Amino acid sequence: MADLAVATKPAMTIFERYLSLWVALCIVVGIALGAMLPGAFAAVAEAEVARVNLPVALLVWLMIIPMLLKIDFGALGQVRQHMRGVGVTLFINWAVKPFSMALLGTLFIGWLFRPLLPADQIESYIAGLILLAAAPCTAMVFVWSNLCDGEPHYTLSQVALNDLIMVFAFAPLVGLLLGVASITVPWDTLLLSVLLYIVVPVIVAQLIRRHRLASGGQPALDALLRRLGPVSLVALLTTLVLLFGFQGEAILTQPLVIALLAVPILIQVYFNAGLAYWLSRRFGVAWCVAAPAALIGASNFFELAVAVAISLFGLQSGAALATVVGVLVEVPVMLSVVAIVKRTRGWYECEETLATD
């Protein structure tokens, strides 16, 4: 039988227990530092290749490599047991999310909030929201899945499948929803992001995993995971400071616009996460798969969305700003989804309604 060893998660530390507080503080600190030191944050923001920020990529490695250490490639075949969970996520990501965002963007930005927004940017804002929703999340999903004790093999398989589909489906889907005859996909951004956020961390994690198991067995791997746990959380919070710092000045100068753009994004996240979670329960998907399925269904690949928005509409466009708002709400909102799925586990696993997956 394949080695299915996944480290037992230790009791929550004070740091983990009050994670929401630290997130709130990091948001405030990021905005304040971004406004006080715009030059420093601009320099960090410019350290990028193909719209992929290298300092953020390094922090993503520190976040996700400890989680990838839990994955035994010999056990990936078990994902076949969770094909209903895979189907639910694919349905949400590709048949629901882009279209629901087009509807919400039109409703809120194109109608309800129109009097409060610059008239010449309305269509551009809606386009940015659609670009955000058409690109399913990649690396950050490992963070969310780990926080809710999700099945790591399913998470890796689903992320890889989404990346593959994105290569073929992203441009036609965006072209259809935006009414544009041709979409130029920034292949350098897409491929470099997949390389940096998925391929390299997976390889590094597997090399470390094999070395630890060979030298000290499962106890050595468990000890390493315990030591790396705080590193992942510190990297997550540092990323949050950077993301809000990059946009600190914009947040303070355009708070109303950013708040209004956040409304359809928030509704879309909770709607798609809730729909994925409910469908998973209806189809008898195990909770350890349903939890990350909800998170994968709700989160976005914002690097790609930002790159496409800038290439199509320009750096100072409403579309670019809308995708950036998606970046800003990603971490705090997804943490709230993690909390919801964890607190509802008892309801989800009620024996009277849940079939065996």
Side-chain angles (χ1 to χ4, degrees):
M1 180 181 291
D3 177 16
L4 307 183
V6 175
T8 302
K9 194 168 185 177
M12 290 180 67
T13 64
I14 293 178
F15 188 63
E16 293 172 316
R17 187 178 302 277
Y18 296 103
L19 183 58
S20 297
L21 174 61
W22 312 136
V23 166
L25 289 175
C26 285
I27 291 173
V28 174
V29 169
I31 294 172
L33 290 177
M36 291 187 296
L37 303 169
F41 278 89
V44 176
E46 290 172 1
E48 61 179 27
V49 177
R51 308 300 307 175
V52 177
N53 186 269
L54 298 181
V56 171
L58 177 60
L59 289 169
V60 170
W61 284 10
L62 294 176
M63 277 187 275
I64 70 174
I65 285 177
M67 299 151 201
L68 293 172
L69 285 171
K70 301 178 182 181
I71 295 176
D72 172 18
F73 268 51
L76 280 176
Q78 288 186 81
V79 174
R80 290 193 297 269
Q81 302 172 15
H82 304 300
M83 291 310 295
R84 282 172 285 182
V86 172
V88 166
T89 309
L90 290 179
F91 172 70
I92 296 297
N93 279 155
W94 298 105
V96 176
K97 189 163 71 167
F99 301 95
S100 65
M101 181 58 93
L103 177 62
L104 289 170
T106 301
L107 174 62
F108 285 93
I109 305 303
W111 182 45
L112 291 177
F113 298 156
R114 177 179 285 272
L116 303 174
L117 295 167
D120 60 336
Q121 293 288 351
I122 296 296
E123 298 304 319
S124 184
Y125 290 144
I126 296 173
L129 294 174
I130 291 172
L131 288 171
L132 191 66
C137 188
T138 53
M140 291 297 289
V141 165
F142 294 113
V143 180
W144 316 138
S145 178
N146 181 72
L147 288 174
C148 65
D149 302 320
E151 216 290 325
H153 304 95
Y154 159 79
T155 304
L156 176 60
S157 300
Q158 183 66 71
V159 167
L161 184 56
N162 269 340
D163 286 341
L164 179 62
I165 294 173
M166 195 156 25
V167 170
F168 300 98
F170 178 77
L173 184 59
V174 169
L176 172 66
L177 290 172
L178 296 186
V180 179
S182 176
I183 296 292
T184 301
V185 176
W187 293 107
D188 52 353
T189 300
L190 176 57
L191 297 178
L192 182 61
S193 294
V194 172
L195 178 67
L196 287 180
Y197 294 150
I198 306 299
V199 177
V200 172
V202 165
I203 292 173
V204 170
Q206 286 304 300
L207 290 175
I208 296 173
R209 175 186 171 89
R210 291 182 182 183
H211 173 73
R212 297 295 291 188
L213 290 175
S215 61
Q218 188 62 42
L221 180 61
D222 290 346
L224 178 61
L225 288 170
R226 285 192 294 272
R227 289 198 297 271
L228 291 179
V231 174
S232 292
L233 290 176
V234 170
L236 173 64
L237 296 176
T238 304
T239 301
L240 197 58
V241 172
L242 280 183
L243 294 179
F244 276 83
F246 292 158
Q247 303 300 326
E249 195 171 1
I251 293 170
L252 294 177
T253 56
Q254 304 181 75
L256 178 61
V257 173
I258 289 174
L260 295 179
L261 288 173
V263 172
I265 296 175
L266 293 173
I267 294 174
Q268 187 240 17
V269 167
Y270 291 121
F271 169 74
N272 287 300
L275 181 60
Y277 197 50
W278 178 77
L279 286 175
S280 295
R281 188 171 187 260
R282 291 287 295 177
F283 287 114
V285 176
W287 183 85
C288 64
V289 170
L295 295 157
I296 294 171
S299 53
N300 304 301
F301 185 0
F302 49 77
E303 295 87 357
L304 179 62
V306 171
V308 176
I310 291 173
S311 66
L312 287 177
F313 300 95
L315 181 61
Q316 302 300 322
S317 66
L321 180 61
T323 56
V324 166
V325 175
V327 178
L328 298 178
V329 303
E330 174 84 5
V331 175
V333 175
M334 295 310 296
L335 284 173
S336 72
V337 176
V338 168
I340 291 169
V341 296
K342 290 179 71 172
R343 290 173 182 172
T344 58
R345 182 171 184 172
W347 165 81
Y348 188 97
E349 294 183 331
C350 177
E351 292 182 359
E352 295 178 356
T353 56
L354 181 61
T356 302
D357 188 11

